Amino acid sequence: MIRDITLGQYYPVDSVLHRMDPRTKLFGTMVFIISLFFAGSLAAYGVATVFLIFVIRLSRVPFGFMVRGLKAILFLLLISVSFNLFLTPGTEVFRLGFLKITWEGLRLAGFMALRLIYLVIGSTVMTLTTTPNQLTDGMERSLGFLKRVRVPVHEISMMMSIALRFIPILVEETDKIMKAQMARGADFESGNLIQKAKNMVPLLVPLFISAFRRATDLAMAMEARCYHGGDGRTKMKPLQYERRDYVGYLVCAGYLAAVVLLG
Amino acid sequence: MSIRADHLCHLYGEGTAFEQYALKDVSFEIGDGEFVGLIGHTGSGKSTLIQHLNGLLQASSGKIYYNGEDIDGDGYDRRNLRSRVGLVFQYPEHQLFEVDVLSDVCFGPKNQGLSREEAEVRAREALTLVGLEERFWDKSPFELSGGQKRRVAIAGVLAMQPEVLILDEPTAGLDPRGRDEILDEIAALHKDRGMTIVLVSHSMEDIARYADRILVMNHGEKRFDGPPREVFAHYRELEEMGLAAPQITYVVHKLREHGISIPEDITTVEEARDAILELLRPERAKASGRQTWGKAGSGE
Amino acid sequence: MSMGIIKASKLIFDYIRRDEEDRIEEVNRAIDGLDLDIREGDFVAVLGHNGSGKSTFAKQINGILLPTEGTVWISGMKTTDDSHIWDIRKTAGMVFQNPDNQIIGNVVEEDVGFGPENLGVPTDEIWRRVEESLQAVGMTAFRMKSPNKLSGGQKQRVAIAGVMAMKPRCIVLDEPTAMLDPNGRKDVIRTIHELNKKEGITVLLITHYMEEVIEADRVIVMDDGHLVMDGTPREIFSRVKELKEYRLDVPQVTELAYELKKEGVDLPDGILTIEELTEALVPLFREQQADRENGIPTGGQREHVNQG
């Protein structure tokens, strides 16, 4: 269920990837996502696969953790695959009543599935190897130029970092409230869509209230620890490029070039 | 009326590397009208256990029988079970959601299929039972104090008129007076209504005062099961499990180490006071007709 | 005149509720004329039932709430003086009740570094402080862990380390153990006693667990916004009846000693520990035994067993 979302779940081991600068990893993830949209041939997907396996091996995170995130998009995956599978015109391979599967459809659906799966695994690799704080630090620095046009980059990244910290807590809380209401006879499964939505009220109201209470508490705790925005703040872990980061940028650029060339 | 757990096991993360027993071969039977204290340190399996008793969690193996019926059996009505075995979670006030107190307490009975009027009758009764004054009934539950919110939440379960009431640390975070009030009301439900109570608590003092039987859980296994005096006599083993006995038990054992023949199975302040007074001046205790405890002083 | 690290004079605080048009709807006086002076280095416990004003007072100490009337000084600085607010918060750190809602970092060490980062401490110094603070609360082994993987007691120790990293002179803990199990509670209390003894940090511990205050230097009881009792634990706990009037309770041993005294048994005032009680009781039993062996009728008019 919701517990399976691995996004924002840091996996603490020591690897080259873990030690890499978050900006490099952000760049790498972006490059990987872009490459997936360029890839249109088996050869290109082959390169992407090799690259992904290489990165996963580098991260030293068990493969099982990578694929857990897929469960969350299973529904989306099924829909997009079946759309492509059944609605692409072309040479017919198989027919079942009014449904027909074409060679082109198979190909498109396969690529679409790979694209989605790789996209999720690729970004999961980043979140598993980067603490949310490093991640937001990375974004804050990479997007620092936006400060000049008055975008509150620091505040946004702080908000994201806090959101990430509280996701697991709120997930657990959801589970608890759900059980507590079920103990009072609540039913979250049966009924039509409208009824189901109505049945969510006893879950959602307490959840929102709890989230607000936590937010107020947290704001007070941050103030008590002298938080007053980004001005005059120093960093415990300032971002600094090392040799491995330059190598990382080179590898990513090389990879993107390869995929684009192979089409 | 009884709950019987028969070789109950619960496995977390079955089939993965993180496979772990939350419950391991737990068997017991809770009879009609008992007041059972359930103790164990955090992660001992007690929370998992109570969620099995009303069918919120399903056992990996083993069975639970309610009134002799297997609750995981085909066609068993588990929603009905949940209204007969009421479960009050920790910090139950976090489940409140309605616009006013009365409506919130009506939620359970309405889920049982009662009409709004019938539900309100039940709700009024339940709110009276937990001692919440009528002037609060049409207020928003979120305007109440912590102790009052907790009562509303307990009433929300009571309004379903359960035969068994399970409470997971119902006094956590309350001040001493709030704690005593809630516990006294639970004790009254047991005494006046004959309700079966299962009380999960970290306070050995509270358990000693209210429960007539204690179940001790450790690492998912049942370790002790018996009346408080018997269980607390194992205070050394309890300590090894990260638990303790009430302070009074330690006083009594310290005195016995000094060769004073005070009965070793004393667990409350009143019992200890009477036993010590009787030892210090047996004649006076007899003359005043004071109700003395146990066989204190008979060893002379 | 010398002034303690925390001083409050004629402190009054009202919670004011306003309606939509900003008109005052309800005024709740949480603190009502509080005078208090806390000596640097003391371990002070504040007792009081829910709603007695003790948490409101805690929030006055580092300027989260400001007085309606009267003054609070932290090491000589007025909390109402805007220019000192960060110095005040640095001097008097705070630990709150809910362990989850005060940890900001997603990794233990990053959370401990949060305070010093806000203060603009240089990077090398932050690392030194994080190291020392984690050591001081015994959480070094967990420095790379996610706070979500810790027990309640461990989370609170991380929160304490987060305050320590700001090099405070005083820590205010607002019911830090209310949501913990007995083991977590013991760990947290032991940790703050160590900080008090080894580092000389002034501690203000707000709680309603009586067994947590018996080792304090000073106990303060609040009721209805007033300070109603003030003394050593022994002095406070010898006034069992009064404590009960303020909706508090006492440790079981203290209660037993009190009950026995009421019955005329000659015990010293304010017994706090199991050892103290048994040490006081054993001689009484011995004498009683000796009397019986010597044929003196028991329960007679002996000075230590007053027939009340």
Side-chain angles (χ1 to χ4, degrees), chain B residues 42 175 179 273 281 283, chain C residues 50 181 249 259 263 298:
Chain B
T42 312
D175 65 11
R179 178 199 67 202
R273 177 197 63 198
R281 32 183 201 212
E283 281 75 18
Chain C
N50 291 345
D181 66 10
D249 64 4
E259 290 285 325
E263 294 290 331
T298 49

Side-chain angles (χ1 to χ4, degrees), chain A residues 66-155:
Chain A
M66 309 280 170
V67 282
R68 257 190 225 178
L70 288 178
K71 274 192 213 161
I73 62 146
L74 203 63
F75 188 62
L76 184 74
L77 197 64
L78 277 176
I79 289 187
S80 54
V81 165
S82 37
F83 263 92
N84 279 302
L85 203 55
F86 298 119
L87 301 177
T88 315
T91 340
E92 189 181 307
V93 207
F94 182 75
R95 186 177 196 103
L96 193 105
F98 66 95
L99 289 173
K100 84 176 175 183
I101 294 172
T102 62
W103 176 242
E104 285 78 3
L106 264 176
R107 193 183 136 92
L108 260 181
F111 281 164
M112 179 56 86
L114 271 182
R115 204 174 273 171
L116 271 171
I117 292 171
Y118 280 17
L119 198 112
V120 170
I121 296 182
S123 32
T124 310
V125 172
M126 181 179 68
T127 52
L128 281 170
T129 57
T130 318
T131 69
N133 271 21
Q134 287 169 349
L135 195 63
T136 47
D137 260 11
M139 287 199 202
E140 191 180 345
R141 282 289 294 274
S142 307
L143 304 174
F145 63 91
L146 287 174
K147 261 187 207 159
R148 285 196 208 119
V149 286
R150 296 238 172 142
V151 177
V153 179
H154 167 77
E155 283 73 12

Side-chain angles (χ1 to χ4, degrees), chain A residues 9-20 25 55-63 65-66 125-131 134, chain B residues 18, chain C residues 107 144-146:
Chain A
Q9 298 281 51
Y10 180 65
Y11 187 91
V13 282
D14 192 28
S15 78
V16 187
L17 222 55
H18 282 75
R19 268 177 279 149
M20 210 174 250
K25 284 185 268 187
V55 169
I56 289 173
R57 290 293 295 274
L58 268 188
S59 77
R60 296 181 51 200
V61 178
F63 188 67
F65 275 87
M66 309 280 170
V125 172
M126 181 179 68
T127 52
L128 281 170
T129 57
T130 318
T131 69
Q134 287 169 349
Chain B
F18 304 101
Chain C
V107 178
M144 296 306 289
K145 286 255 189 309
S146 152

Side-chain angles (χ1 to χ4, degrees), chain C residues 124-152:
Chain C
D124 293 346
E125 172 70 12
I126 297 181
W127 280 89
R128 220 176 356 257
R129 289 189 184 191
V130 168
E131 197 101 5
E132 281 169 15
S133 309
L134 283 171
Q135 194 92 44
V137 301
M139 286 296 290
T140 309
F142 299 86
R143 64 182 302 164
M144 296 306 289
K145 286 255 189 309
S146 152
N148 292 327
K149 298 269 187 300
L150 306 182
S151 73

Side-chain angles (χ1 to χ4, degrees), chain C residues 5-74:
Chain C
I5 178 133
I6 301 168
K7 185 175 161 67
S9 164
K10 300 191 184 67
L11 175 65
I12 290 176
F13 183 78
D14 293 332
Y15 281 106
I16 298 170
R17 216 169 69 170
R18 292 171 195 274
D19 60 12
E20 282 101 57
E21 275 106 55
D22 222 32
R23 281 180 307 225
I24 294 172
E25 204 172 55
E26 202 184 327
V27 177
N28 250 322
R29 182 148 293 189
I31 298 179
D32 192 6
L34 184 73
D35 287 298
L36 189 64
D37 199 338
I38 286 171
R39 207 174 52 183
E40 179 140 25
D42 268 1
F43 191 114
V44 181
V46 183
L47 294 174
H49 63 81
N50 291 345
S52 60
K54 58 191 196 313
S55 285
T56 309
F57 177 58
K59 288 176 191 133
Q60 297 278 342
I61 294 173
N62 72 355
I64 289 176
L65 296 177
L66 296 174
T68 309
E69 278 173 49
T71 320
V72 177
W73 293 269
I74 304 304

